[in-house]
Each structure stands twice: as C-alpha cells, then as structure tokens.
PDB file of all heavy atoms in Angstrom:
ATOM      1  N   LEU A   1      -0.026 -14.724 -11.633  1.00 98.00           N
ATOM      2  CA  LEU A   1      -0.246 -14.975 -10.220  1.00 98.00           C
ATOM      3  C   LEU A   1      -1.193 -16.153 -10.107  1.00 98.00           C
ATOM      4  O   LEU A   1      -2.151 -16.287 -10.892  1.00 98.00           O
ATOM      5  CB  LEU A   1      -0.936 -13.753  -9.519  1.00 98.00           C
ATOM      6  CG  LEU A   1      -0.277 -12.405  -9.626  1.00 98.00           C
ATOM      7  CD1 LEU A   1      -0.798 -11.629 -10.843  1.00 98.00           C
ATOM      8  CD2 LEU A   1      -0.583 -11.617  -8.336  1.00 98.00           C
ATOM      9  N   ARG A   2      -1.003 -17.014  -9.115  1.00 98.00           N
ATOM     10  CA  ARG A   2      -1.879 -18.138  -8.850  1.00 98.00           C
ATOM     11  C   ARG A   2      -2.285 -18.099  -7.398  1.00 98.00           C
ATOM     12  O   ARG A   2      -1.400 -18.043  -6.520  1.00 98.00           O
ATOM     13  CB  ARG A   2      -1.274 -19.449  -9.240  1.00 98.00           C
ATOM     14  CG  ARG A   2      -2.177 -20.662  -8.944  1.00 98.00           C
ATOM     15  CD  ARG A   2      -1.708 -21.933  -9.680  1.00 98.00           C
ATOM     16  NE  ARG A   2      -1.883 -21.758 -11.132  1.00 98.00           N
ATOM     17  CZ  ARG A   2      -1.376 -22.591 -12.056  1.00 98.00           C
ATOM     18  NH1 ARG A   2      -0.634 -23.606 -11.658  1.00 98.00           N
ATOM     19  NH2 ARG A   2      -1.582 -22.401 -13.333  1.00 98.00           N
ATOM     20  N   GLN A   3      -3.584 -18.111  -7.132  1.00 98.00           N
ATOM     21  CA  GLN A   3      -4.111 -18.001  -5.789  1.00 98.00           C
ATOM     22  C   GLN A   3      -5.103 -19.148  -5.549  1.00 98.00           C
ATOM     23  O   GLN A   3      -5.843 -19.499  -6.469  1.00 98.00           O
ATOM     24  CB  GLN A   3      -4.786 -16.678  -5.573  1.00 98.00           C
ATOM     25  CG  GLN A   3      -3.818 -15.506  -5.809  1.00 98.00           C
ATOM     26  CD  GLN A   3      -4.531 -14.144  -5.813  1.00 98.00           C
ATOM     27  OE1 GLN A   3      -4.793 -13.608  -4.751  1.00 98.00           O
ATOM     28  NE2 GLN A   3      -4.787 -13.617  -6.993  1.00 98.00           N
ATOM     29  N   VAL A   4      -5.119 -19.681  -4.333  1.00 98.00           N
ATOM     30  CA  VAL A   4      -6.044 -20.778  -4.026  1.00 98.00           C
ATOM     31  C   VAL A   4      -7.095 -20.329  -3.060  1.00 98.00           C
ATOM     32  O   VAL A   4      -6.879 -19.473  -2.200  1.00 98.00           O
ATOM     33  CB  VAL A   4      -5.284 -22.033  -3.496  1.00 98.00           C
ATOM     34  CG1 VAL A   4      -4.341 -22.556  -4.535  1.00 98.00           C
ATOM     35  CG2 VAL A   4      -4.552 -21.696  -2.203  1.00 98.00           C
ATOM     36  N   VAL A   5      -8.280 -20.910  -3.163  1.00 98.00           N
ATOM     37  CA  VAL A   5      -9.415 -20.577  -2.285  1.00 98.00           C
ATOM     38  C   VAL A   5     -10.101 -21.883  -1.937  1.00 98.00           C
ATOM     39  O   VAL A   5     -10.094 -22.839  -2.707  1.00 98.00           O
ATOM     40  CB  VAL A   5     -10.388 -19.619  -3.013  1.00 98.00           C
ATOM     41  CG1 VAL A   5      -9.692 -18.401  -3.510  1.00 98.00           C
ATOM     42  CG2 VAL A   5     -11.145 -20.313  -4.131  1.00 98.00           C
ATOM     43  N   ARG A   6     -10.712 -21.888  -0.756  1.00 98.00           N
ATOM     44  CA  ARG A   6     -11.550 -23.028  -0.382  1.00 98.00           C
ATOM     45  C   ARG A   6     -13.011 -22.593  -0.386  1.00 98.00           C
ATOM     46  O   ARG A   6     -13.382 -21.662   0.298  1.00 98.00           O
ATOM     47  CB  ARG A   6     -11.174 -23.557   1.003  1.00 98.00           C
ATOM     48  CG  ARG A   6     -11.979 -24.819   1.414  1.00 98.00           C
ATOM     49  CD  ARG A   6     -11.663 -25.275   2.835  1.00 98.00           C
ATOM     50  NE  ARG A   6     -10.314 -25.784   2.943  1.00 98.00           N
ATOM     51  CZ  ARG A   6      -9.944 -27.028   2.640  1.00 98.00           C
ATOM     52  NH1 ARG A   6     -10.819 -27.885   2.158  1.00 98.00           N
ATOM     53  NH2 ARG A   6      -8.660 -27.413   2.795  1.00 98.00           N
ATOM     54  N   THR A   7     -13.811 -23.236  -1.190  1.00 97.00           N
ATOM     55  CA  THR A   7     -15.209 -22.909  -1.303  1.00 97.00           C
ATOM     56  C   THR A   7     -15.978 -23.228  -0.013  1.00 97.00           C
ATOM     57  O   THR A   7     -15.482 -23.996   0.847  1.00 97.00           O
ATOM     58  CB  THR A   7     -15.864 -23.649  -2.467  1.00 97.00           C
ATOM     59  OG1 THR A   7     -15.826 -25.066  -2.203  1.00 97.00           O
ATOM     60  CG2 THR A   7     -15.150 -23.366  -3.797  1.00 97.00           C
ATOM     61  N   SER A   8     -17.165 -22.668   0.138  1.00 97.00           N
ATOM     62  CA  SER A   8     -18.059 -23.065   1.211  1.00 97.00           C
ATOM     63  C   SER A   8     -19.149 -24.011   0.664  1.00 97.00           C
ATOM     64  O   SER A   8     -19.282 -25.095   1.167  1.00 97.00           O
ATOM     65  CB  SER A   8     -18.700 -21.825   1.886  1.00 97.00           C
ATOM     66  OG  SER A   8     -19.304 -20.969   0.950  1.00 97.00           O
ATOM     67  N   ALA A   9     -19.853 -23.568  -0.341  1.00 96.00           N
ATOM     68  CA  ALA A   9     -20.883 -24.397  -0.966  1.00 96.00           C
ATOM     69  C   ALA A   9     -20.468 -24.821  -2.375  1.00 96.00           C
ATOM     70  O   ALA A   9     -19.638 -24.178  -3.000  1.00 96.00           O
ATOM     71  CB  ALA A   9     -22.216 -23.620  -1.023  1.00 96.00           C
ATOM     72  N   GLY A  10     -21.059 -25.894  -2.861  1.00 96.00           N
ATOM     73  CA  GLY A  10     -20.733 -26.402  -4.190  1.00 96.00           C
ATOM     74  C   GLY A  10     -21.806 -26.062  -5.225  1.00 96.00           C
ATOM     75  O   GLY A  10     -22.881 -25.522  -4.911  1.00 96.00           O
ATOM     76  N   GLY A  11     -21.471 -26.351  -6.480  1.00 96.00           N
ATOM     77  CA  GLY A  11     -22.410 -26.113  -7.572  1.00 96.00           C
ATOM     78  C   GLY A  11     -21.856 -26.631  -8.868  1.00 96.00           C
ATOM     79  O   GLY A  11     -20.706 -27.111  -8.916  1.00 96.00           O
ATOM     80  N   GLY A  12     -22.625 -26.536  -9.926  1.00 96.00           N
ATOM     81  CA  GLY A  12     -22.256 -27.098 -11.221  1.00 96.00           C
ATOM     82  C   GLY A  12     -21.564 -26.097 -12.152  1.00 96.00           C
ATOM     83  O   GLY A  12     -20.983 -26.507 -13.144  1.00 96.00           O
ATOM     84  N   ARG A  13     -21.656 -24.803 -11.811  1.00 97.00           N
ATOM     85  CA  ARG A  13     -21.010 -23.772 -12.632  1.00 97.00           C
ATOM     86  C   ARG A  13     -20.296 -22.817 -11.694  1.00 97.00           C
ATOM     87  O   ARG A  13     -20.687 -22.680 -10.512  1.00 97.00           O
ATOM     88  CB  ARG A  13     -22.019 -23.020 -13.500  1.00 97.00           C
ATOM     89  CG  ARG A  13     -22.864 -23.904 -14.371  1.00 97.00           C
ATOM     90  CD  ARG A  13     -23.931 -23.053 -15.090  1.00 97.00           C
ATOM     91  NE  ARG A  13     -23.436 -22.457 -16.312  1.00 97.00           N
ATOM     92  CZ  ARG A  13     -23.993 -21.406 -16.907  1.00 97.00           C
ATOM     93  NH1 ARG A  13     -25.028 -20.802 -16.343  1.00 97.00           N
ATOM     94  NH2 ARG A  13     -23.505 -20.946 -18.027  1.00 97.00           N
ATOM     95  N   VAL A  14     -19.281 -22.137 -12.211  1.00 98.00           N
ATOM     96  CA  VAL A  14     -18.498 -21.222 -11.386  1.00 98.00           C
ATOM     97  C   VAL A  14     -18.176 -19.969 -12.145  1.00 98.00           C
ATOM     98  O   VAL A  14     -18.044 -20.022 -13.391  1.00 98.00           O
ATOM     99  CB  VAL A  14     -17.243 -21.915 -10.850  1.00 98.00           C
ATOM    100  CG1 VAL A  14     -16.314 -22.288 -12.038  1.00 98.00           C
ATOM    101  CG2 VAL A  14     -16.481 -21.054  -9.849  1.00 98.00           C
ATOM    102  N   ARG A  15     -18.104 -18.854 -11.461  1.00 98.00           N
ATOM    103  CA  ARG A  15     -17.605 -17.613 -12.050  1.00 98.00           C
ATOM    104  C   ARG A  15     -16.787 -16.898 -10.968  1.00 98.00           C
ATOM    105  O   ARG A  15     -16.924 -17.145  -9.766  1.00 98.00           O
ATOM    106  CB  ARG A  15     -18.759 -16.726 -12.543  1.00 98.00           C
ATOM    107  CG  ARG A  15     -19.695 -16.220 -11.498  1.00 98.00           C
ATOM    108  CD  ARG A  15     -20.939 -15.586 -12.101  1.00 98.00           C
ATOM    109  NE  ARG A  15     -21.773 -14.993 -11.080  1.00 98.00           N
ATOM    110  CZ  ARG A  15     -23.030 -14.529 -11.294  1.00 98.00           C
ATOM    111  NH1 ARG A  15     -23.567 -14.632 -12.493  1.00 98.00           N
ATOM    112  NH2 ARG A  15     -23.734 -13.998 -10.272  1.00 98.00           N
ATOM    113  N   VAL A  16     -15.921 -15.968 -11.438  1.00 98.00           N
ATOM    114  CA  VAL A  16     -14.965 -15.321 -10.567  1.00 98.00           C
ATOM    115  C   VAL A  16     -15.124 -13.812 -10.700  1.00 98.00           C
ATOM    116  O   VAL A  16     -15.313 -13.262 -11.809  1.00 98.00           O
ATOM    117  CB  VAL A  16     -13.525 -15.753 -10.978  1.00 98.00           C
ATOM    118  CG1 VAL A  16     -12.486 -14.898 -10.271  1.00 98.00           C
ATOM    119  CG2 VAL A  16     -13.330 -17.233 -10.639  1.00 98.00           C
ATOM    120  N   ARG A  17     -15.061 -13.099  -9.555  1.00 98.00           N
ATOM    121  CA  ARG A  17     -15.064 -11.659  -9.546  1.00 98.00           C
ATOM    122  C   ARG A  17     -13.670 -11.114  -9.226  1.00 98.00           C
ATOM    123  O   ARG A  17     -13.016 -11.592  -8.294  1.00 98.00           O
ATOM    124  CB  ARG A  17     -16.088 -11.119  -8.513  1.00 98.00           C
ATOM    125  CG  ARG A  17     -17.524 -11.363  -8.902  1.00 98.00           C
ATOM    126  CD  ARG A  17     -18.473 -10.713  -7.944  1.00 98.00           C
ATOM    127  NE  ARG A  17     -19.844 -11.040  -8.306  1.00 98.00           N
ATOM    128  CZ  ARG A  17     -20.607 -10.297  -9.133  1.00 98.00           C
ATOM    129  NH1 ARG A  17     -20.116  -9.141  -9.577  1.00 98.00           N
ATOM    130  NH2 ARG A  17     -21.835 -10.679  -9.445  1.00 98.00           N
ATOM    131  N   LEU A  18     -13.282 -10.084  -9.967  1.00 98.00           N
ATOM    132  CA  LEU A  18     -11.984  -9.478  -9.803  1.00 98.00           C
ATOM    133  C   LEU A  18     -12.174  -7.973  -9.525  1.00 98.00           C
ATOM    134  O   LEU A  18     -13.100  -7.364 -10.059  1.00 98.00           O
ATOM    135  CB  LEU A  18     -11.159  -9.654 -11.075  1.00 98.00           C
ATOM    136  CG  LEU A  18     -10.961 -11.117 -11.521  1.00 98.00           C
ATOM    137  CD1 LEU A  18     -10.290 -11.193 -12.870  1.00 98.00           C
ATOM    138  CD2 LEU A  18     -10.132 -11.889 -10.485  1.00 98.00           C
ATOM    139  N   SER A  19     -11.295  -7.416  -8.723  1.00 98.00           N
ATOM    140  CA  SER A  19     -11.489  -6.058  -8.280  1.00 98.00           C
ATOM    141  C   SER A  19     -10.248  -5.190  -8.578  1.00 98.00           C
ATOM    142  O   SER A  19      -9.096  -5.614  -8.363  1.00 98.00           O
ATOM    143  CB  SER A  19     -11.757  -6.004  -6.753  1.00 98.00           C
ATOM    144  OG  SER A  19     -11.802  -4.667  -6.290  1.00 98.00           O
ATOM    145  N   ASN A  20     -10.492  -3.968  -9.031  1.00 98.00           N
ATOM    146  CA  ASN A  20      -9.444  -2.922  -9.171  1.00 98.00           C
ATOM    147  C   ASN A  20      -9.834  -1.737  -8.268  1.00 98.00           C
ATOM    148  O   ASN A  20      -9.633  -0.610  -8.658  1.00 98.00           O
ATOM    149  CB  ASN A  20      -9.360  -2.499 -10.639  1.00 98.00           C
ATOM    150  CG  ASN A  20      -8.148  -1.660 -10.924  1.00 98.00           C
ATOM    151  OD1 ASN A  20      -7.145  -1.715 -10.209  1.00 98.00           O
ATOM    152  ND2 ASN A  20      -8.190  -0.843 -11.957  1.00 98.00           N
ATOM    153  N   LEU A  21     -10.380  -2.044  -7.096  1.00 98.00           N
ATOM    154  CA  LEU A  21     -10.966  -1.001  -6.237  1.00 98.00           C
ATOM    155  C   LEU A  21      -9.957   0.085  -5.886  1.00 98.00           C
ATOM    156  O   LEU A  21     -10.311   1.247  -5.865  1.00 98.00           O
ATOM    157  CB  LEU A  21     -11.496  -1.680  -4.958  1.00 98.00           C
ATOM    158  CG  LEU A  21     -12.151  -0.717  -3.951  1.00 98.00           C
ATOM    159  CD1 LEU A  21     -13.371  -0.083  -4.530  1.00 98.00           C
ATOM    160  CD2 LEU A  21     -12.509  -1.475  -2.656  1.00 98.00           C
ATOM    161  N   PHE A  22      -8.715  -0.295  -5.637  1.00 98.00           N
ATOM    162  CA  PHE A  22      -7.705   0.683  -5.190  1.00 98.00           C
ATOM    163  C   PHE A  22      -6.709   1.032  -6.311  1.00 98.00           C
ATOM    164  O   PHE A  22      -5.773   1.794  -6.080  1.00 98.00           O
ATOM    165  CB  PHE A  22      -6.951   0.161  -3.958  1.00 98.00           C
ATOM    166  CG  PHE A  22      -7.807  -0.003  -2.764  1.00 98.00           C
ATOM    167  CD1 PHE A  22      -8.383  -1.240  -2.432  1.00 98.00           C
ATOM    168  CD2 PHE A  22      -8.120   1.084  -1.974  1.00 98.00           C
ATOM    169  CE1 PHE A  22      -9.190  -1.409  -1.326  1.00 98.00           C
ATOM    170  CE2 PHE A  22      -8.962   0.931  -0.863  1.00 98.00           C
ATOM    171  CZ  PHE A  22      -9.497  -0.299  -0.555  1.00 98.00           C
ATOM    172  N   GLY A  23      -6.976   0.550  -7.501  1.00 98.00           N
ATOM    173  CA  GLY A  23      -6.078   0.834  -8.616  1.00 98.00           C
ATOM    174  C   GLY A  23      -6.149   2.300  -9.046  1.00 98.00           C
ATOM    175  O   GLY A  23      -7.220   2.888  -8.937  1.00 98.00           O
ATOM    176  N   THR A  24      -5.072   2.821  -9.523  1.00 98.00           N
ATOM    177  CA  THR A  24      -5.035   4.196 -10.024  1.00 98.00           C
ATOM    178  C   THR A  24      -5.063   4.267 -11.545  1.00 98.00           C
ATOM    179  O   THR A  24      -5.195   5.338 -12.107  1.00 98.00           O
ATOM    180  CB  THR A  24      -3.764   4.920  -9.503  1.00 98.00           C
ATOM    181  OG1 THR A  24      -2.631   4.185  -9.904  1.00 98.00           O
ATOM    182  CG2 THR A  24      -3.825   5.004  -7.982  1.00 98.00           C
ATOM    183  N   THR A  25      -4.905   3.134 -12.173  1.00 98.00           N
ATOM    184  CA  THR A  25      -4.970   3.035 -13.618  1.00 98.00           C
ATOM    185  C   THR A  25      -5.806   1.846 -13.989  1.00 98.00           C
ATOM    186  O   THR A  25      -6.044   0.946 -13.169  1.00 98.00           O
ATOM    187  CB  THR A  25      -3.539   2.874 -14.203  1.00 98.00           C
ATOM    188  OG1 THR A  25      -2.990   1.667 -13.670  1.00 98.00           O
ATOM    189  CG2 THR A  25      -2.669   4.056 -13.886  1.00 98.00           C
ATOM    190  N   PRO A  26      -6.259   1.745 -15.273  1.00 98.00           N
ATOM    191  CA  PRO A  26      -6.985   0.521 -15.696  1.00 98.00           C
ATOM    192  C   PRO A  26      -6.129  -0.731 -15.479  1.00 98.00           C
ATOM    193  O   PRO A  26      -4.908  -0.702 -15.694  1.00 98.00           O
ATOM    194  CB  PRO A  26      -7.243   0.761 -17.165  1.00 98.00           C
ATOM    195  CG  PRO A  26      -7.267   2.263 -17.294  1.00 98.00           C
ATOM    196  CD  PRO A  26      -6.208   2.742 -16.328  1.00 98.00           C
ATOM    197  N   LEU A  27      -6.760  -1.783 -15.023  1.00 98.00           N
ATOM    198  CA  LEU A  27      -6.128  -3.092 -14.804  1.00 98.00           C
ATOM    199  C   LEU A  27      -6.448  -3.980 -16.009  1.00 98.00           C
ATOM    200  O   LEU A  27      -7.611  -4.279 -16.266  1.00 98.00           O
ATOM    201  CB  LEU A  27      -6.636  -3.742 -13.546  1.00 98.00           C
ATOM    202  CG  LEU A  27      -6.344  -5.234 -13.324  1.00 98.00           C
ATOM    203  CD1 LEU A  27      -4.817  -5.441 -13.154  1.00 98.00           C
ATOM    204  CD2 LEU A  27      -7.109  -5.769 -12.125  1.00 98.00           C
ATOM    205  N   THR A  28      -5.429  -4.373 -16.738  1.00 98.00           N
ATOM    206  CA  THR A  28      -5.614  -5.314 -17.867  1.00 98.00           C
ATOM    207  C   THR A  28      -5.096  -6.676 -17.491  1.00 98.00           C
ATOM    208  O   THR A  28      -3.942  -6.829 -17.080  1.00 98.00           O
ATOM    209  CB  THR A  28      -4.896  -4.795 -19.130  1.00 98.00           C
ATOM    210  OG1 THR A  28      -5.453  -3.569 -19.520  1.00 98.00           O
ATOM    211  CG2 THR A  28      -5.027  -5.798 -20.280  1.00 98.00           C
ATOM    212  N   LEU A  29      -5.984  -7.647 -17.638  1.00 98.00           N
ATOM    213  CA  LEU A  29      -5.636  -9.052 -17.460  1.00 98.00           C
ATOM    214  C   LEU A  29      -5.682  -9.717 -18.836  1.00 98.00           C
ATOM    215  O   LEU A  29      -6.714  -9.702 -19.507  1.00 98.00           O
ATOM    216  CB  LEU A  29      -6.615  -9.724 -16.499  1.00 98.00           C
ATOM    217  CG  LEU A  29      -6.624  -9.151 -15.064  1.00 98.00           C
ATOM    218  CD1 LEU A  29      -7.739  -9.751 -14.252  1.00 98.00           C
ATOM    219  CD2 LEU A  29      -5.262  -9.379 -14.380  1.00 98.00           C
ATOM    220  N   GLY A  30      -4.566 -10.282 -19.215  1.00 98.00           N
ATOM    221  CA  GLY A  30      -4.499 -10.902 -20.558  1.00 98.00           C
ATOM    222  C   GLY A  30      -5.086 -12.285 -20.583  1.00 98.00           C
ATOM    223  O   GLY A  30      -5.487 -12.768 -21.676  1.00 98.00           O
ATOM    224  N   ALA A  31      -5.196 -12.941 -19.428  1.00 98.00           N
ATOM    225  CA  ALA A  31      -5.789 -14.287 -19.361  1.00 98.00           C
ATOM    226  C   ALA A  31      -6.100 -14.577 -17.925  1.00 98.00           C
ATOM    227  O   ALA A  31      -5.503 -14.050 -16.976  1.00 98.00           O
ATOM    228  CB  ALA A  31      -4.822 -15.333 -19.910  1.00 98.00           C
ATOM    229  N   ALA A  32      -7.119 -15.443 -17.720  1.00 98.00           N
ATOM    230  CA  ALA A  32      -7.498 -15.915 -16.402  1.00 98.00           C
ATOM    231  C   ALA A  32      -7.976 -17.344 -16.514  1.00 98.00           C
ATOM    232  O   ALA A  32      -8.691 -17.681 -17.509  1.00 98.00           O
ATOM    233  CB  ALA A  32      -8.586 -15.010 -15.787  1.00 98.00           C
ATOM    234  N   HIS A  33      -7.617 -18.162 -15.525  1.00 98.00           N
ATOM    235  CA  HIS A  33      -8.002 -19.597 -15.538  1.00 98.00           C
ATOM    236  C   HIS A  33      -8.479 -19.959 -14.152  1.00 98.00           C
ATOM    237  O   HIS A  33      -8.060 -19.396 -13.157  1.00 98.00           O
ATOM    238  CB  HIS A  33      -6.845 -20.472 -15.939  1.00 98.00           C
ATOM    239  CG  HIS A  33      -6.559 -20.513 -17.395  1.00 98.00           C
ATOM    240  ND1 HIS A  33      -6.548 -21.654 -18.156  1.00 98.00           N
ATOM    241  CD2 HIS A  33      -6.253 -19.503 -18.261  1.00 98.00           C
ATOM    242  CE1 HIS A  33      -6.280 -21.381 -19.422  1.00 98.00           C
ATOM    243  NE2 HIS A  33      -6.074 -20.073 -19.508  1.00 98.00           N
ATOM    244  N   VAL A  34      -9.324 -20.996 -14.100  1.00 98.00           N
ATOM    245  CA  VAL A  34      -9.756 -21.604 -12.822  1.00 98.00           C
ATOM    246  C   VAL A  34      -9.695 -23.116 -12.976  1.00 98.00           C
ATOM    247  O   VAL A  34     -10.036 -23.654 -14.034  1.00 98.00           O
ATOM    248  CB  VAL A  34     -11.157 -21.118 -12.384  1.00 98.00           C
ATOM    249  CG1 VAL A  34     -12.236 -21.581 -13.363  1.00 98.00           C
ATOM    250  CG2 VAL A  34     -11.499 -21.620 -10.973  1.00 98.00           C
ATOM    251  N   GLY A  35      -9.263 -23.762 -11.911  1.00 98.00           N
ATOM    252  CA  GLY A  35      -9.236 -25.238 -11.940  1.00 98.00           C
ATOM    253  C   GLY A  35      -9.225 -25.735 -10.498  1.00 98.00           C
ATOM    254  O   GLY A  35      -9.150 -24.975  -9.547  1.00 98.00           O
ATOM    255  N   VAL A  36      -9.237 -27.053 -10.368  1.00 98.00           N
ATOM    256  CA  VAL A  36      -9.194 -27.673  -9.032  1.00 98.00           C
ATOM    257  C   VAL A  36      -7.733 -27.756  -8.596  1.00 98.00           C
ATOM    258  O   VAL A  36      -6.862 -28.226  -9.328  1.00 98.00           O
ATOM    259  CB  VAL A  36      -9.829 -29.067  -9.089  1.00 98.00           C
ATOM    260  CG1 VAL A  36      -9.704 -29.784  -7.737  1.00 98.00           C
ATOM    261  CG2 VAL A  36     -11.270 -28.988  -9.514  1.00 98.00           C
ATOM    262  N   SER A  37      -7.460 -27.275  -7.386  1.00 98.00           N
ATOM    263  CA  SER A  37      -6.105 -27.306  -6.866  1.00 98.00           C
ATOM    264  C   SER A  37      -5.687 -28.740  -6.588  1.00 98.00           C
ATOM    265  O   SER A  37      -6.457 -29.542  -6.043  1.00 98.00           O
ATOM    266  CB  SER A  37      -6.016 -26.477  -5.571  1.00 98.00           C
ATOM    267  OG  SER A  37      -4.762 -26.642  -4.975  1.00 98.00           O
ATOM    268  N   ALA A  38      -4.422 -29.022  -6.911  1.00 97.00           N
ATOM    269  CA  ALA A  38      -3.832 -30.338  -6.573  1.00 97.00           C
ATOM    270  C   ALA A  38      -2.803 -30.166  -5.452  1.00 97.00           C
ATOM    271  O   ALA A  38      -1.927 -30.991  -5.265  1.00 97.00           O
ATOM    272  CB  ALA A  38      -3.216 -30.974  -7.791  1.00 97.00           C
ATOM    273  N   GLY A  39      -2.856 -29.022  -4.748  1.00 96.00           N
ATOM    274  CA  GLY A  39      -1.927 -28.741  -3.671  1.00 96.00           C
ATOM    275  C   GLY A  39      -0.825 -27.844  -4.142  1.00 96.00           C
ATOM    276  O   GLY A  39      -0.378 -27.900  -5.308  1.00 96.00           O
ATOM    277  N   GLY A  40      -0.408 -26.937  -3.290  1.00 95.00           N
ATOM    278  CA  GLY A  40       0.627 -25.979  -3.672  1.00 95.00           C
ATOM    279  C   GLY A  40       0.195 -25.175  -4.869  1.00 95.00           C
ATOM    280  O   GLY A  40      -0.936 -24.695  -4.975  1.00 95.00           O
ATOM    281  N   ALA A  41       1.109 -24.976  -5.829  1.00 96.00           N
ATOM    282  CA  ALA A  41       0.815 -24.236  -7.041  1.00 96.00           C
ATOM    283  C   ALA A  41       0.314 -25.126  -8.135  1.00 96.00           C
ATOM    284  O   ALA A  41       0.197 -24.686  -9.294  1.00 96.00           O
ATOM    285  CB  ALA A  41       2.039 -23.467  -7.491  1.00 96.00           C
ATOM    286  N   HIS A  42      -0.005 -26.378  -7.861  1.00 97.00           N
ATOM    287  CA  HIS A  42      -0.414 -27.352  -8.849  1.00 97.00           C
ATOM    288  C   HIS A  42      -1.912 -27.287  -9.110  1.00 97.00           C
ATOM    289  O   HIS A  42      -2.721 -27.054  -8.202  1.00 97.00           O
ATOM    290  CB  HIS A  42      -0.066 -28.788  -8.419  1.00 97.00           C
ATOM    291  CG  HIS A  42       1.404 -28.990  -8.136  1.00 97.00           C
ATOM    292  ND1 HIS A  42       2.290 -29.444  -9.106  1.00 97.00           N
ATOM    293  CD2 HIS A  42       2.128 -28.822  -7.019  1.00 97.00           C
ATOM    294  CE1 HIS A  42       3.487 -29.529  -8.580  1.00 97.00           C
ATOM    295  NE2 HIS A  42       3.433 -29.161  -7.327  1.00 97.00           N
ATOM    296  N   VAL A  43      -2.306 -27.552 -10.386  1.00 98.00           N
ATOM    297  CA  VAL A  43      -3.691 -27.671 -10.774  1.00 98.00           C
ATOM    298  C   VAL A  43      -3.958 -29.102 -11.230  1.00 98.00           C
ATOM    299  O   VAL A  43      -3.147 -29.696 -11.965  1.00 98.00           O
ATOM    300  CB  VAL A  43      -4.021 -26.691 -11.927  1.00 98.00           C
ATOM    301  CG1 VAL A  43      -5.440 -26.879 -12.438  1.00 98.00           C
ATOM    302  CG2 VAL A  43      -3.830 -25.262 -11.488  1.00 98.00           C
ATOM    303  N   GLN A  44      -5.056 -29.664 -10.764  1.00 97.00           N
ATOM    304  CA  GLN A  44      -5.409 -31.036 -11.072  1.00 97.00           C
ATOM    305  C   GLN A  44      -5.573 -31.213 -12.579  1.00 97.00           C
ATOM    306  O   GLN A  44      -6.313 -30.473 -13.222  1.00 97.00           O
ATOM    307  CB  GLN A  44      -6.708 -31.429 -10.393  1.00 97.00           C
ATOM    308  CG  GLN A  44      -7.149 -32.836 -10.552  1.00 97.00           C
ATOM    309  CD  GLN A  44      -8.353 -33.168  -9.719  1.00 97.00           C
ATOM    310  OE1 GLN A  44      -8.346 -32.959  -8.489  1.00 97.00           O
ATOM    311  NE2 GLN A  44      -9.441 -33.566 -10.339  1.00 97.00           N
ATOM    312  N   PRO A  45      -4.881 -32.192 -13.198  1.00 96.00           N
ATOM    313  CA  PRO A  45      -4.987 -32.387 -14.655  1.00 96.00           C
ATOM    314  C   PRO A  45      -6.420 -32.574 -15.092  1.00 96.00           C
ATOM    315  O   PRO A  45      -7.221 -33.287 -14.439  1.00 96.00           O
ATOM    316  CB  PRO A  45      -4.156 -33.633 -14.916  1.00 96.00           C
ATOM    317  CG  PRO A  45      -3.188 -33.697 -13.764  1.00 96.00           C
ATOM    318  CD  PRO A  45      -3.967 -33.129 -12.566  1.00 96.00           C
TER     319      PRO A  45
END
C-alpha cells in the first residue's frame, strides 16, 4: 500500500506511527518506506 500525506511543520528527521487499533490478529509488516512524493503513486528519486 502507498499513501501520501501533507506535513504541517518541517524538520530534519522523520518517524512514522502505525496502528492496529481495530485489528483482531497481530499485524505483520514486512517492510515500510518513506520518501518525498513526486505526485500520484510516484516517489521522488
């Protein structure tokens, strides 16, 4: 899945929070990435 967000404030480091609040089983994520959006589903090289 790829999702885009628009920040409010800037900074030099970033971290991401993920939630399984309504899950009924453990949620396993095999990988996660963050980058600058280049529009649509694209990530800036």
Side-chain angles (χ1 to χ4, degrees):
L1 305 91
R2 178 164 291 169
Q3 302 171 80
V4 297
V5 306
R6 184 183 292 276
T7 63
S8 53
R13 305 174 85 201
V14 63
R15 65 190 185 192
V16 169
R17 290 186 183 267
L18 305 171
S19 174
N20 192 25
L21 181 63
F22 295 97
T24 57
T25 60
L27 166 66
T28 296
L29 297 172
H33 283 237
V34 63
V36 176
S37 172
H42 301 268
V43 175
Q44 184 175 303

